[in-house]
Amino acid sequence: MAGNWKMYKTPADTTQFFEKFRPLAANSEHCEIVICPPFTSLAAAVDAVRGTRIRVGAQNIAWAKEGAFTGEISGAMITAVGATHAIVGHSERRQYFNETDETVLKRTQAALEAGLAPIVCVGERLEERESGNTEAVLVAQFQKGIAGLSELQFAKIVIAYEPVWAIGTGKTATPEIAADAHRTIRAQVREKYGKDAADAVRILYGGSVKPDNVKALMAQPEIDGTLVGGASLDAVGFASIVNF
Ligand code: PEP
């Protein structure tokens, strides 16, 4: 169960969040928990989760190891503060910061090289769904992005299916719609990396997941977990998602 805080929460807000969240998540052995705060709050988050099973991730990662890339943060910088995961290719990065399948692949490889577990996002826009192109979009994102990984690299990633029309809009994909998309992605994995990889890979659903819809989503065998934006900002709300 992953939380993406987007551009919310200072270090002080982060410490406050975990004071509330830690005890509420204390009995959550059924799942892994990762919270992805903004870069400037990573260190506060790592401090706050010390000694717990909660892990901390970045929301993005540079594709280069170092260099003249103003505003970027490298994998080594992220691991140096104690984070273990990195979201790659979030739809807000694709939409507002020109992220492409090619850069998603490069960032995913950089995360793996740094020893971070990448959470790689794919998902169609509303007009793509409405024009009947969901499957084609997911296949293209997989082929141009994820499929560039070696088998060994692929075994270390988590995929997040995040339909763009469901992110931050309050419109959740029905469990059936989400499961259908997960099947499309898993079929791609099977074709490229084989049955064992397809069975093993974890595919999260993301898009307006809330305490009151998480149970129905998680009842779909295809859905292995959730990537939660807005609802992960509230400690009580996110705890009830984690403890669905
Ligand atoms: C997200 O940011 O990945 C996300 C799914 O956002 P929300 O849950 O707010 O739709």
Side-chain angles (χ1 to χ4, degrees), residues 5-39:
W5 283 357
K6 311 186 192 238
M7 200 172 69
Y8 293 98
K9 292 198 194 291
T10 63
D13 299 335
T14 300
T15 307
Q16 248 179 22
F17 171 94
F18 282 110
E19 270 162 22
K20 255 199 193 168
F21 181 71
R22 260 192 332 251
L24 298 173
N27 298 315
S28 55
E29 280 80 17
H30 61 284
C31 68
E32 283 175 42
I33 305 171
V34 184
I35 303 237
C36 302
F39 287 122

Side-chain angles (χ1 to χ4, degrees), residues 5-7 21 26 41 48 56 108 127 132 136 149 155 161 195 200 208:
W5 283 357
K6 311 186 192 238
M7 200 172 69
F21 181 71
S41 292
V56 174
T108 304
E127 60 273 25
L149 299 173
Y161 167 61
K195 184 181 178 308
S208 298

Side-chain angles (χ1 to χ4, degrees), residues 9-156:
K9 292 198 194 291
T10 63
D13 299 335
T14 300
T15 307
Q16 248 179 22
F17 171 94
F18 282 110
E19 270 162 22
K20 255 199 193 168
F21 181 71
R22 260 192 332 251
L24 298 173
N27 298 315
S28 55
E29 280 80 17
H30 61 284
C31 68
E32 283 175 42
I33 305 171
V34 184
I35 303 237
C36 302
F39 287 122
T40 47
S41 292
L42 283 176
V46 168
D47 263 359
V49 303
R50 224 177 284 287
T52 74
R53 297 176 52 256
I54 306 166
R55 297 289 172 262
V56 174
Q59 295 175 16
N60 190 18
I61 174 171
W63 61 70
K65 283 202 168 96
E66 61 183 0
F69 297 102
T70 302
E72 289 288 294
I73 307 281
S74 74
M77 293 167 183
I78 295 167
T79 53
V81 294
T84 50
H85 292 67
I87 297 175
V88 179
H90 190 277
S91 69
E92 286 153 17
R93 303 281 332 155
R94 292 178 186 256
Q95 200 174 347
Y96 305 126
F97 302 98
N98 301 323
E99 199 76 69
T100 64
D101 295 322
E102 290 74 19
T103 57
V104 168
L105 174 60
K106 284 166 75 175
R107 291 183 199 274
T108 304
Q109 286 167 329
L112 290 165
E113 271 169 39
L116 293 162
I119 302 172
V120 186
C121 304
V122 294
E124 80 288 359
R125 297 196 305 267
L126 182 61
E127 60 273 25
E128 293 167 334
R129 171 157 291 272
E130 286 178 344
S131 58
N133 285 317
T134 298
E135 191 174 334
V137 169
L138 294 176
V139 169
Q141 288 177 340
F142 182 88
Q143 291 296 337
K144 288 197 233 153
I146 296 169
L149 299 173
S150 69
E151 273 178 40
L152 256 161
Q153 289 175 321
F154 180 80
K156 294 181 183 147

